Amino acid sequence: METFQEFDQPIGPEKSTGAIISHAFDIYKGVFLYAVGALLISLVISFLIQPLSGFNSSELVEEIQTSPETLSTTMWSIPGFKAYYGLSGLVSLLMTPLYVGVIYVANKYNLKEPMSFSDMFIGFKQNFLNIIIYALISSIVIGISFTLCVIPAFFVVPFFMLGYPILLFENASFSEALSKSFTIAKDNYGTFLGASALGILISFAGVFLCGIGIVFTALFLMVVMYSTYCAFCGRPRPLAINK
């Protein structure tokens, strides 16, 4: 069932890395509290599942302090760590629609529409299954590239930059989102590479603000995805959501 209207064309930033990042900054200033709220919900849920796995995070902290050089191998022997790792991954996957809500709120802010925190849950009501499947596929591909000395991941992420906006605003299937995102990124790879790389670096910049700063910057990349979509596909009109 169609849940979107035709798009405005082509209202958005110019098709350049600088314009996209600047546009994303302007939008993020207006929606970052929603992004912080989404991340805090995810962190709280992750904390609550820790007792279910039998994992005690203090043991991991102790291992980091005593044997940081062997952490990559010894952490798997910590009781409950494997179960917690699996549950945490599942929670992260199921929280993806909440992160997609940041894109929806960004569009409402861009359209100067009133926003509410309930808007953050649109991904659970619209195209949920395709969002989850897309998140799983992209996570596997990007995760594998991260294991190859990290750097290759920066060259892979650009191909997934438009997927979530396409899933949300065009109500597309995961395969359609993958195909369209790949095609547009391939034809404009330099711009997509620059925007995604800067988006990732800014998203992780909060780590240097006493660590806790990551809460305020982690979902900046979602807004960069929205700004990239606006630049190359046009700014979408308000969604007509089924109640």
PDB file of all heavy atoms in Angstrom, residues 114-128:
ATOM      1  N   PRO A 114       5.600  20.502  12.732  1.00  0.00           N
ATOM      2  CA  PRO A 114       5.737  20.188  14.158  1.00  0.00           C
ATOM      3  C   PRO A 114       6.221  18.752  14.344  1.00  0.00           C
ATOM      4  O   PRO A 114       5.814  17.848  13.607  1.00  0.00           O
ATOM      5  CB  PRO A 114       4.319  20.377  14.705  1.00  0.00           C
ATOM      6  CG  PRO A 114       3.414  20.249  13.510  1.00  0.00           C
ATOM      7  CD  PRO A 114       4.193  20.801  12.359  1.00  0.00           C
ATOM      8  N   MET A 115       7.071  18.558  15.339  1.00  0.00           N
ATOM      9  CA  MET A 115       7.643  17.238  15.593  1.00  0.00           C
ATOM     10  C   MET A 115       7.258  16.777  16.989  1.00  0.00           C
ATOM     11  O   MET A 115       7.005  17.586  17.878  1.00  0.00           O
ATOM     12  CB  MET A 115       9.177  17.301  15.485  1.00  0.00           C
ATOM     13  CG  MET A 115       9.688  17.774  14.153  1.00  0.00           C
ATOM     14  SD  MET A 115      11.517  17.965  14.157  1.00  0.00           S
ATOM     15  CE  MET A 115      11.716  19.356  15.293  1.00  0.00           C
ATOM     16  N   SER A 116       7.233  15.469  17.183  1.00  0.00           N
ATOM     17  CA  SER A 116       7.033  14.890  18.507  1.00  0.00           C
ATOM     18  C   SER A 116       7.875  13.632  18.592  1.00  0.00           C
ATOM     19  O   SER A 116       8.247  13.047  17.559  1.00  0.00           O
ATOM     20  CB  SER A 116       5.553  14.560  18.749  1.00  0.00           C
ATOM     21  OG  SER A 116       5.141  13.492  17.907  1.00  0.00           O
ATOM     22  N   PHE A 117       8.177  13.187  19.822  1.00  0.00           N
ATOM     23  CA  PHE A 117       9.041  12.022  19.958  1.00  0.00           C
ATOM     24  C   PHE A 117       8.381  10.761  19.403  1.00  0.00           C
ATOM     25  O   PHE A 117       9.074   9.823  19.005  1.00  0.00           O
ATOM     26  CB  PHE A 117       9.434  11.806  21.424  1.00  0.00           C
ATOM     27  CG  PHE A 117      10.599  10.877  21.575  1.00  0.00           C
ATOM     28  CD1 PHE A 117      11.881  11.287  21.246  1.00  0.00           C
ATOM     29  CD2 PHE A 117      10.416   9.568  22.011  1.00  0.00           C
ATOM     30  CE1 PHE A 117      12.966  10.417  21.359  1.00  0.00           C
ATOM     31  CE2 PHE A 117      11.496   8.699  22.136  1.00  0.00           C
ATOM     32  CZ  PHE A 117      12.768   9.121  21.806  1.00  0.00           C
ATOM     33  N   SER A 118       7.063  10.736  19.339  1.00  0.00           N
ATOM     34  CA  SER A 118       6.377   9.573  18.773  1.00  0.00           C
ATOM     35  C   SER A 118       6.723   9.391  17.295  1.00  0.00           C
ATOM     36  O   SER A 118       6.613   8.281  16.759  1.00  0.00           O
ATOM     37  CB  SER A 118       4.866   9.717  18.945  1.00  0.00           C
ATOM     38  OG  SER A 118       4.379  10.861  18.259  1.00  0.00           O
ATOM     39  N   ASP A 119       7.151  10.482  16.629  1.00  0.00           N
ATOM     40  CA  ASP A 119       7.559  10.384  15.223  1.00  0.00           C
ATOM     41  C   ASP A 119       8.748   9.434  15.056  1.00  0.00           C
ATOM     42  O   ASP A 119       8.943   8.870  13.979  1.00  0.00           O
ATOM     43  CB  ASP A 119       7.949  11.763  14.682  1.00  0.00           C
ATOM     44  CG  ASP A 119       6.771  12.710  14.589  1.00  0.00           C
ATOM     45  OD1 ASP A 119       5.643  12.233  14.360  1.00  0.00           O
ATOM     46  OD2 ASP A 119       6.976  13.933  14.742  1.00  0.00           O
ATOM     47  N   MET A 120       9.529   9.269  16.121  1.00  0.00           N
ATOM     48  CA  MET A 120      10.717   8.433  16.048  1.00  0.00           C
ATOM     49  C   MET A 120      10.382   6.962  15.804  1.00  0.00           C
ATOM     50  O   MET A 120      11.236   6.191  15.374  1.00  0.00           O
ATOM     51  CB  MET A 120      11.520   8.557  17.345  1.00  0.00           C
ATOM     52  CG  MET A 120      12.102   9.932  17.589  1.00  0.00           C
ATOM     53  SD  MET A 120      13.370  10.357  16.377  1.00  0.00           S
ATOM     54  CE  MET A 120      14.563   9.077  16.691  1.00  0.00           C
ATOM     55  N   PHE A 121       9.145   6.578  16.039  1.00  0.00           N
ATOM     56  CA  PHE A 121       8.772   5.169  15.938  1.00  0.00           C
ATOM     57  C   PHE A 121       8.110   4.826  14.602  1.00  0.00           C
ATOM     58  O   PHE A 121       7.528   3.752  14.452  1.00  0.00           O
ATOM     59  CB  PHE A 121       7.852   4.797  17.095  1.00  0.00           C
ATOM     60  CG  PHE A 121       8.507   4.958  18.446  1.00  0.00           C
ATOM     61  CD1 PHE A 121       8.396   6.150  19.147  1.00  0.00           C
ATOM     62  CD2 PHE A 121       9.258   3.927  18.996  1.00  0.00           C
ATOM     63  CE1 PHE A 121       9.012   6.312  20.382  1.00  0.00           C
ATOM     64  CE2 PHE A 121       9.871   4.075  20.234  1.00  0.00           C
ATOM     65  CZ  PHE A 121       9.754   5.274  20.927  1.00  0.00           C
ATOM     66  N   ILE A 122       8.228   5.713  13.635  1.00  0.00           N
ATOM     67  CA  ILE A 122       7.590   5.474  12.338  1.00  0.00           C
ATOM     68  C   ILE A 122       8.108   4.201  11.670  1.00  0.00           C
ATOM     69  O   ILE A 122       7.364   3.486  10.991  1.00  0.00           O
ATOM     70  CB  ILE A 122       7.793   6.682  11.392  1.00  0.00           C
ATOM     71  CG1 ILE A 122       7.003   6.470  10.107  1.00  0.00           C
ATOM     72  CG2 ILE A 122       9.274   6.905  11.115  1.00  0.00           C
ATOM     73  CD1 ILE A 122       7.033   7.660   9.174  1.00  0.00           C
ATOM     74  N   GLY A 123       9.378   3.893  11.874  1.00  0.00           N
ATOM     75  CA  GLY A 123       9.954   2.704  11.236  1.00  0.00           C
ATOM     76  C   GLY A 123       9.375   1.397  11.728  1.00  0.00           C
ATOM     77  O   GLY A 123       9.500   0.366  11.061  1.00  0.00           O
ATOM     78  N   PHE A 124       8.726   1.429  12.905  1.00  0.00           N
ATOM     79  CA  PHE A 124       8.074   0.228  13.421  1.00  0.00           C
ATOM     80  C   PHE A 124       6.674   0.067  12.833  1.00  0.00           C
ATOM     81  O   PHE A 124       6.087  -1.005  12.911  1.00  0.00           O
ATOM     82  CB  PHE A 124       7.984   0.281  14.947  1.00  0.00           C
ATOM     83  CG  PHE A 124       9.321   0.229  15.633  1.00  0.00           C
ATOM     84  CD1 PHE A 124       9.920   1.390  16.090  1.00  0.00           C
ATOM     85  CD2 PHE A 124       9.982  -0.978  15.792  1.00  0.00           C
ATOM     86  CE1 PHE A 124      11.157   1.354  16.722  1.00  0.00           C
ATOM     87  CE2 PHE A 124      11.221  -1.030  16.422  1.00  0.00           C
ATOM     88  CZ  PHE A 124      11.812   0.136  16.878  1.00  0.00           C
ATOM     89  N   LYS A 125       6.149   1.147  12.256  1.00  0.00           N
ATOM     90  CA  LYS A 125       4.800   1.123  11.680  1.00  0.00           C
ATOM     91  C   LYS A 125       4.829   1.024  10.164  1.00  0.00           C
ATOM     92  O   LYS A 125       3.875   0.536   9.553  1.00  0.00           O
ATOM     93  CB  LYS A 125       4.035   2.391  12.096  1.00  0.00           C
ATOM     94  CG  LYS A 125       3.836   2.539  13.596  1.00  0.00           C
ATOM     95  CD  LYS A 125       3.009   3.772  13.942  1.00  0.00           C
ATOM     96  CE  LYS A 125       3.771   5.053  13.666  1.00  0.00           C
ATOM     97  NZ  LYS A 125       3.019   6.248  14.094  1.00  0.00           N
ATOM     98  N   GLN A 126       5.897   1.495   9.563  1.00  0.00           N
ATOM     99  CA  GLN A 126       5.966   1.532   8.096  1.00  0.00           C
ATOM    100  C   GLN A 126       7.217   0.830   7.594  1.00  0.00           C
ATOM    101  O   GLN A 126       8.330   1.189   7.962  1.00  0.00           O
ATOM    102  CB  GLN A 126       5.963   2.986   7.609  1.00  0.00           C
ATOM    103  CG  GLN A 126       6.190   3.116   6.096  1.00  0.00           C
ATOM    104  CD  GLN A 126       5.859   4.484   5.581  1.00  0.00           C
ATOM    105  OE1 GLN A 126       4.730   4.936   5.718  1.00  0.00           O
ATOM    106  NE2 GLN A 126       6.832   5.163   4.992  1.00  0.00           N
ATOM    107  N   ASN A 127       7.017  -0.187   6.752  1.00  0.00           N
ATOM    108  CA  ASN A 127       8.106  -0.891   6.070  1.00  0.00           C
ATOM    109  C   ASN A 127       9.092  -1.544   7.038  1.00  0.00           C
ATOM    110  O   ASN A 127      10.290  -1.676   6.734  1.00  0.00           O
ATOM    111  CB  ASN A 127       8.849   0.074   5.134  1.00  0.00           C
ATOM    112  CG  ASN A 127       9.217  -0.586   3.815  1.00  0.00           C
ATOM    113  OD1 ASN A 127       8.861  -1.735   3.563  1.00  0.00           O
ATOM    114  ND2 ASN A 127       9.922   0.134   2.973  1.00  0.00           N
ATOM    115  N   PHE A 128       8.611  -1.980   8.177  1.00  0.00           N
ATOM    116  CA  PHE A 128       9.466  -2.524   9.235  1.00  0.00           C
ATOM    117  C   PHE A 128      10.326  -3.689   8.755  1.00  0.00           C
ATOM    118  O   PHE A 128      11.548  -3.705   8.955  1.00  0.00           O
ATOM    119  CB  PHE A 128       8.590  -2.969  10.414  1.00  0.00           C
ATOM    120  CG  PHE A 128       9.343  -3.716  11.485  1.00  0.00           C
ATOM    121  CD1 PHE A 128      10.115  -3.030  12.409  1.00  0.00           C
ATOM    122  CD2 PHE A 128       9.281  -5.107  11.564  1.00  0.00           C
ATOM    123  CE1 PHE A 128      10.817  -3.722  13.402  1.00  0.00           C
ATOM    124  CE2 PHE A 128       9.976  -5.796  12.557  1.00  0.00           C
ATOM    125  CZ  PHE A 128      10.743  -5.099  13.477  1.00  0.00           C
TER     126      PHE A 128
END
